[in-house]
Amino acid sequence: MLKIFRATAILEGISYLLLFGMTMPLKHWADIPEPNQVVGMAHGILFILYVVVATVFCWERKWKLKRFLILFVASLLPFGTFYADKKYLKNLA
């Protein structure tokens, strides 16, 4: 489960950065909305998957709600999932 969660966290973080760093500027500054639609959908799916996997992972590890909330908030911040992976998940491997 740890490998799945770490992979999901990294992919969600990459999709978040792609969405805000590449496709949003393309959509708003260059009037090219197509990449934003594709990356936005992928990011949405990965975000939901991240939250579900985080919930299951925290449940299996019997972690407190505080740790889950930290992982959840990390998914809302740029580079947050990378920080969460390094601080909370990498040491478990």
Side-chain angles (χ1 to χ4, degrees):
M1 189 67 177
L2 178 62
K3 284 184 179 182
I4 293 170
F5 187 38
R6 288 188 73 199
T8 304
I10 297 302
L11 289 173
E12 197 276 335
I14 290 170
S15 71
Y16 189 56
L17 294 176
L18 283 174
L19 184 67
F20 286 106
M22 288 181 95
T23 65
M24 292 290 276
L26 283 173
K27 178 182 176 182
H28 294 288
W29 296 336
D31 291 326
I32 305 172
E34 292 81 14
N36 194 43
Q37 294 169 348
V38 174
V39 175
M41 179 64 74
H43 173 68
I45 292 168
L46 286 167
F47 174 76
I48 292 169
L49 183 63
Y50 175 86
V51 172
V52 169
V53 173
T55 303
V56 171
F57 185 77
C58 290
W59 185 271
E60 282 183 353
R61 297 272 175 164
K62 296 183 172 62
W63 283 357
K64 296 187 181 202
L65 181 62
K66 180 181 177 183
R67 177 110 15 133
F68 170 76
L69 290 175
I70 290 169
L71 293 173
F72 179 75
V73 170
S75 71
L76 302 175
L77 303 171
F79 300 101
T81 57
F82 302 114
Y83 172 78
D85 178 59
K86 185 175 181 179
K87 174 111 175 145
Y88 295 102
L89 304 176
K90 192 173 184 181
N91 298 333
L92 299 175

